[in-house]
Amino acid sequence: MTRTVHFLTGIRSEYDILAPIIAAVREQPGLNEGVIVTGAHLTGLHGHSVRQIEADGHRIVARIDSLLASDGLGGRIKGMGLQLAGLTDLFARERPDFLVVMGDREEVMTGALAAIYHHIPVVHVGGGDHADDGNVDNLVRHAVSKMSHLHMATTELSASRLRELGEEPWRIHVTGASGLDRIHATPDMTRTEVEAALGVEWNGEPYAVLLYHPTITDFSEARAHMASITRVLEASGLNIAVMAPNTDPGNKAISLEIDELIARYPKAKAFTFLERKAFINMLRHARVMVGNSSAGILEAPTMGLPVVNIGIRQRGREHGDNVIFTDYDPHEIAAAITKATMDESFRALVAKKRTPYGDGKAGQRIAEVLNNVELGKHLLDKKWVEGGR
């Protein structure tokens, strides 16, 4: 019988990682895909990124409005309540064979919680990952792993952490990171084509991609942190492509600082949303990526893109040779950007494109697991395994 696989997504960056898995499920005989859309996808403040899901031709099974106009800590929690209510209504009328969630955002928690109470197997992509940043993401990620029935780990180290959590080894599959799949599948654009897609006239001059998200542990300082970063980038003389932050508390403060950057620095341009081909090729042609996005950890190494990761977010994560970690000191940031853009020995090392995150075939591996795993009580009845045996 055909198996139905629902994917839950709340923001563009998350969907881009899930997209290769959704496509692989769609192509796998015996599997049908559906996408549950919530959060930032459904608001103009984040570019109505649901349009990308529609353009990809996937069946959208529900649109759950949950993003509140709040920049405080309580907004996400209240939004989770809306997600839970919407998911409960959905699963009452359409119950999939699997729910796939990715990473560590709030919709991952609500999706897993709603699914286990409906006896729907939860498939967690990216479990076992860990960063030493003190952020809530770690807590959410590991909690969801304990609520999940199948684990699609990006690396062997992540798989070993899942075993340490007492997960049964047969539930754990090392697939690599699906973000690499989309890079390999995305056609190259020339530098001229990229500038046309971005609507800029930089005439082949080097540019930085700035993508900085707030963190809950220091969200009240988000604007000051962003100001330090933008001032250093201005002083470098680089052109700057700035992407909007995610929906975490502090995002509005960062957006205000982006507005000020655009007003005073003519070599910068801001984007709330970019079509996938344009975004990936923007990274391919960039001189450096600056900020704290997981794209710098997961996808940038395979493009040979140097990354300056600023602050606590992503600190301690498995990473390639391309990442330089800094604090918020402007001199430290400036030195790191200089190294990333000018140090030929460092750039030669980055150009080797070494990554711990696989070979770009994660989607196919995950689809095969979902097509072949035994459904029923054996899958739903989780057991604790001491020491990962």
Side-chain angles (χ1 to χ4, degrees), residues 47-89:
H48 283 297
S49 51
V50 66
R51 294 177 300 179
Q52 181 67 67
I53 303 172
E54 294 168 339
D56 289 343
H58 300 305
R59 182 173 71 100
I60 296 177
V61 297
R63 301 170 192 244
I64 303 172
D65 284 310
S66 65
L67 189 63
L68 303 183
S70 170
D71 201 25
L73 294 175
R76 296 179 81 184
I77 302 299
K78 292 180 179 179
M80 289 173 71
L82 296 172
Q83 289 175 7
L84 275 173
L87 288 164
T88 299
D89 291 342

Side-chain angles (χ1 to χ4, degrees), residues 84-325:
L84 275 173
L87 288 164
T88 299
D89 291 342
L90 170 64
F91 293 152
R93 67 177 184 266
E94 184 170 350
R95 185 182 181 280
D97 295 290
F98 301 99
L99 178 71
V100 179
V101 296
M102 195 287 296
D104 47 38
R105 289 179 50 79
E106 59 265 31
E107 60 268 11
V108 183
M109 179 72 82
T110 57
L113 190 59
I116 61 175
Y117 274 93
H118 285 84
H119 307 294
I120 298 168
V122 178
V123 182
H124 188 202
V125 179
D129 197 356
H130 186 80
D132 299 324
D133 55 14
N135 203 16
V136 69
D137 296 353
N138 278 328
L139 306 179
V140 172
R141 189 185 308 113
H142 299 325
V144 170
S145 288
K146 295 309 299 180
M147 289 192 285
S148 297
H149 303 89
L150 291 171
H151 307 283
M152 306 302 164
T154 56
T155 69
E156 292 287 351
L157 178 58
S158 292
S160 71
R161 291 197 186 104
L162 289 166
R163 291 190 290 270
E164 291 288 333
L165 288 174
E167 295 297 290
E168 298 166 276
W170 68 267
R171 298 181 183 274
I172 303 168
H173 304 267
V174 180
T175 63
S178 56
L180 276 62
D181 298 30
R182 65 176 180 146
I183 293 171
H184 294 309
T186 300
D188 287 335
M189 297 169 66
T190 66
R191 173 61 191 263
T192 300
E193 290 171 333
V194 169
E195 291 198 18
L198 298 183
V200 298
E201 294 182 0
W202 291 338
N203 300 314
E205 296 175 354
Y207 64 90
V209 173
L210 173 55
L211 182 47
Y212 180 76
H213 301 302
T215 55
I216 285 182
T217 49
D218 57 5
F219 81 99
S220 61
E221 301 172 82
R223 185 163 186 177
H225 291 162
M226 188 64 167
S228 294
I229 298 167
T230 57
R231 292 295 184 183
V232 172
L233 280 171
E234 284 181 78
S236 75
L238 290 165
N239 298 293
I240 310 172
V242 192
M243 296 300 299
N246 65 20
T247 58
D248 291 359
N251 71 88
K252 290 182 174 59
I254 291 176
S255 295
L256 287 172
E257 193 60 37
I258 291 174
D259 291 342
E260 288 206 1
L261 170 68
I262 300 305
R264 70 176 182 259
Y265 189 60
K267 298 176 73 173
K269 183 166 182 178
F271 305 92
T272 57
F273 172 78
L274 284 174
E275 184 269 337
R276 184 183 303 126
K277 183 179 179 182
F279 179 74
I280 290 175
N281 278 281
M282 177 182 70
L283 296 181
R284 282 175 174 160
H285 288 275
R287 188 72 176 177
V288 64
M289 184 176 187
V290 178
N292 61 6
S293 169
S294 61
I297 304 292
L298 296 173
E299 288 99 339
T302 199
M303 291 184 275
L305 175 61
V307 170
V308 176
N309 192 98
I310 301 168
I312 61 174
R313 195 169 189 262
Q314 316 299 348
R315 190 66 62 93
R317 278 185 90 174
E318 246 183 307
H319 61 277
D321 301 319
N322 65 312
V323 186
I324 304 169
F325 291 93

